[in-house]
Amino acid sequence: MRLIERYLFRQLLGPTLFATAALAALALLARSLSEFDILVTQRQSALVFLKIILLALPQLLNIVLPISLFVAALVALNRLHTEQEIVVCFAGGMSRWKVISPAMRLAVFAALFSLFLGLWVQPWSARQIRETAFAVKTDVASTLVQPGQFTEPGPGLTVYAQSIDRDNLIHNLFIHQERPDGGASTYSSREAVIATRNGAPVLIMLKGSNQQFSNAGVLQYTSFEEYTFDLSSLFQSDELLHYKIADRYLHELFYPDLTQEWEQKNRTGLLAEAHSRFATPLYNIALMAMALAAVIGGQFSRMGYGKRIAAVGAAAAVVRIIGFGVQAACEDSAWLNILQYVVPLGALWWGLAQIFRQRVSRHIAIGRRKAAYAPQAGAA
């Protein structure tokens, strides 16, 4: 790149990085609010919460990157144009393609980065989120006890706890278990904690008592300082981890295992997601072209380009919404997948057409400069 092209590239790169970071932070904040139930209801640690939030970053980046690129390009290009720096580039003999090439080069880099995220990083992070959520769902500590509520985590088992502190120490625990022979056992303790012994979950109750009722109506009462209640038989779940469409890698989307019933039913959805992984990066280039068209694709104005930028901004929003709608429609009809490429490529064609419809004529520019100097020569 020439010196002026490197300058234009740097002027675009800074706002793009800032806009991407700002929008990604807002998206992470919204995601954290939706996942806050992990801390409150399911009582998971802050590390688990933070892990899920950070693993959602690749998917969020793929969504906000075209938007941040569009916004940053509008801000930077509008400033360069109103300060007549782009006009100087044209007056210096640079073609329109030379002027827009730094911006298009940045858009291509963003598209390649988005493609890398979509093909490899995003499915990996989605699988990690799915596995973490599955582990939280099957966590004994979060399913056994709900503070202030009577729960039935297993057949014939009723559990109540007054409260649970931040150290996962259970206070005033009550357990009622019905036995297969018709009898029942009732446990109560002041404190309790869930632990793991020999790889199996256990409930360690402290300072409590045990009342056992036989089917003949005989009551046996026992007090204890510490009692270990085995939980392994109560939480043997046959539920299996299942990866959804967004969690699949590219080869799993294009070539699913059609011997499985779920893959057969979701064949078109898998194919739509596969094409979306290739079509989504194109929006980076398309929205950049639309941003260039909003600033450079019209006549120069000293008053700014507010109306033109607003119109193109609305058009860019419509294009992106249509893209999401087309992707959803492709889940029902495989032949519509071609539209996933038509929408961004159509926006790209429109943007470039607006940019190059007014060609800069060097002869006209020279004639205007001569006309400007003519009165000064006559006066001299």
Side-chain angles (χ1 to χ4, degrees):
M1 289 189 292
R2 297 194 309 176
L3 180 62
I4 185 62
E5 293 179 20
R6 289 198 297 269
Y7 170 77
L8 294 176
F9 185 86
R10 289 195 302 269
Q11 294 300 310
L12 290 166
L13 180 61
T16 299
L17 294 177
F18 177 79
T20 303
L23 292 178
L26 290 176
L28 284 177
L29 178 61
R31 181 62 183 263
S32 64
L33 294 177
S34 64
E35 298 290 346
F36 201 69
D37 185 66
I38 294 176
L39 292 175
V40 178
T41 304
Q42 299 176 333
R43 304 189 309 277
Q44 297 298 313
S45 66
L47 290 178
V48 175
F49 174 76
L50 185 61
K51 177 183 177 181
I52 293 178
I53 298 304
L54 292 180
L55 286 173
L57 185 59
Q59 181 182 9
L60 297 176
L61 278 178
N62 247 345
I63 296 175
V64 305
L65 189 57
I67 302 173
S68 61
L69 197 67
F70 178 77
V71 173
L74 284 179
V75 172
L77 291 171
N78 185 53
R79 183 186 63 81
L80 291 172
H81 210 36
T82 53
E83 293 180 358
Q84 301 188 15
E85 294 187 51
I86 293 182
V87 176
V88 171
C89 293
F90 287 137
M94 293 182 65
S95 64
R96 286 184 178 266
W97 176 251
K98 286 289 186 180
V99 173
I100 70 170
S101 61
M104 297 304 294
R105 192 176 290 112
L106 178 61
V108 171
F109 290 156
L112 293 176
F113 179 68
S114 178
L115 183 64
F116 171 74
L117 290 178
L119 295 184
W120 291 285
V121 181
Q122 182 177 333
W124 175 84
S125 62
R127 288 188 176 216
Q128 295 297 315
I129 293 176
R130 192 74 57 197
E131 292 172 2
T132 304
F134 182 79
V136 170
K137 182 180 178 181
T138 57
D139 183 34
V140 175
S142 62
T143 58
L144 177 66
V145 182
Q146 296 294 332
Q149 299 180 13
F150 286 92
T151 60
E152 296 182 358
L157 181 66
T158 303
V159 180
Y160 173 84
Q162 184 179 16
S163 63
I164 303 177
D165 60 21
R166 294 182 178 180
D167 297 327
N168 286 329
L169 184 63
I170 305 171
H171 298 277
N172 296 328
L173 176 67
F174 170 84
I175 298 178
H176 180 76
Q177 183 181 25
E178 298 180 358
R179 298 196 302 268
D181 59 1
S185 299
T186 302
Y187 302 87
S188 61
S189 65
R190 294 183 181 180
E191 297 177 348
V193 63
I194 296 176
T196 302
R197 289 185 178 177
N198 298 325
V202 295
L203 179 65
I204 302 176
M205 293 180 284
L206 307 173
K207 299 178 182 180
S209 62
N210 174 25
Q211 299 87 36
Q212 294 187 3
F213 299 88
S214 66
N215 53 6
V218 179
L219 171 63
Q220 293 181 354
Y221 177 85
T222 305
S223 62
F224 55 83
E225 289 294 322
E226 180 178 325
Y227 181 82
T228 302
F229 188 85
D230 187 16
L231 300 174
S232 58
S233 60
L234 301 175
F235 295 94
Q236 292 178 354
S237 175
D238 56 353
E239 185 178 359
L240 299 177
L241 176 63
H242 176 72
Y243 293 117
K244 295 186 177 181
I245 294 178
D247 308 336
R248 306 297 178 98
Y249 286 101
L250 191 63
H251 67 278
E252 296 173 321
L253 296 173
F254 277 119
Y255 306 103
D257 184 6
L258 297 180
T259 60
Q260 303 294 326
E261 183 179 0
W262 187 89
E263 276 77 4
Q264 294 177 5
K265 291 182 179 180
N266 295 273
R267 180 71 180 91
T268 54
L270 293 168
L271 192 61
E273 177 66 20
H275 286 286
S276 175
R277 302 277 177 89
F278 289 104
T280 299
L282 295 176
Y283 285 96
N284 294 280
I285 306 175
L287 294 188
M288 175 59 81
M290 296 183 71
L292 289 168
V295 179
I296 303 179
Q299 296 292 335
F300 175 77
S301 174
R302 295 181 180 272
M303 303 301 294
Y305 308 94
K307 294 183 179 179
R308 203 158 66 199
I309 289 175
V312 176
V318 171
V319 167
R320 198 64 191 97
I321 293 173
I322 291 176
F324 287 124
V326 168
Q327 181 181 355
C330 292
E331 296 179 0
D332 298 323
S333 300
W335 66 272
L336 291 176
N337 283 306
I338 187 65
L339 296 180
Q340 294 202 60
Y341 303 95
V342 170
V343 174
L345 291 177
L348 174 61
W349 173 83
W350 178 87
L352 294 179
Q354 296 299 312
I355 295 171
F356 290 101
R357 68 175 181 175
Q358 296 179 355
R359 298 185 178 275
V360 178
S361 176
R362 189 171 300 179
H363 297 289
I364 295 177
I366 294 174
R368 288 178 178 176
R369 287 199 295 269
K370 289 182 177 180
Y373 282 109
Q376 299 178 7

